[in-house]
Amino acid sequence: MTPPPVVRKVSRAAVEPNRKRGGDVRILLSPRTVHSTSGFGGSLTLEPGEYVCEHLHPYSEEFVYVITGRLQIRIGEELIDLAADDSVMVPKGVRHRMVNLCGEPARVIFHLAPLAPRPELGHVDTEFLPERSDEPAPRVGGAR
């Protein structure tokens, strides 16, 4: 049985970064942290030249909002340049990849919904960072 939702503040500084897929990914609001049932979200920081490996979400749409900086996102075969205050939705099941091509850090907020039936089914990597292949993926569900 799923625990009831809780009202809980989650500070970015209190969440360990995950760098397995590139950049600094922090899952802030999720089934694991606040017992959400409809989706999860967090932050991404990409330093100049950093990228997030190509991947897809078979069950979820991903909403991306750029807070600061600039980045380029490839969704399917389409390249889209995003700057501060730009946003885009990645459709369910479509491969995508982000790269910071400018000289300053890019800060991004993302949200995915709906949730996959199980956390391990929610993300499919189609590209890997060789030096990080043994690192665990960001934790979305399961025990805290």
Side-chain angles (χ1 to χ4, degrees):
M1 175 172 266
T2 303
V6 295
V7 176
R8 179 174 177 228
K9 177 178 117 175
V10 180
S11 172
R12 181 180 178 280
V15 175
E16 288 292 320
N18 186 286
R19 297 181 179 278
K20 178 180 180 66
R21 296 176 177 119
D24 174 329
V25 176
R26 299 183 195 218
I27 306 297
L28 302 173
L29 304 172
S30 72
R32 187 175 67 84
T33 59
V34 295
H35 306 295
S36 60
T37 60
S38 62
F40 71 94
S43 71
L44 163 68
T45 303
L46 286 175
E47 296 296 329
E50 281 189 316
Y51 62 94
V52 172
C53 293
E54 184 185 83
H55 62 282
L56 61 93
H57 307 284
Y59 296 92
S60 308
E61 296 170 327
E62 182 170 6
F63 304 89
V64 175
Y65 175 75
V66 179
I67 300 171
T68 61
R70 302 178 64 82
L71 59 87
Q72 186 177 75
I73 185 168
R74 186 182 73 226
I75 302 174
E77 299 303 318
E78 188 173 352
L79 290 175
I80 301 166
D81 292 322
L82 299 172
D85 291 330
D86 288 342
S87 58
V88 69
M89 185 195 79
V90 180
K92 187 184 311 185
V94 177
R95 292 176 182 218
H96 54 288
R97 181 185 202 269
M98 290 182 232
V99 61
N100 181 346
L101 297 174
C102 73
E104 65 180 279
R107 298 237 8 238
V108 174
I109 297 295
F110 61 88
H111 177 77
L112 285 91
L115 292 170
R118 293 192 320 270
E120 67 274 13
L121 299 176
H123 187 104
V124 177
D125 291 311
T126 54
E127 177 183 25
F128 302 90
L129 288 177
E131 67 275 14
R132 301 201 180 273
S133 61
D134 293 335
E135 291 182 25
R139 293 185 56 210
V140 174
R144 291 199 319 188

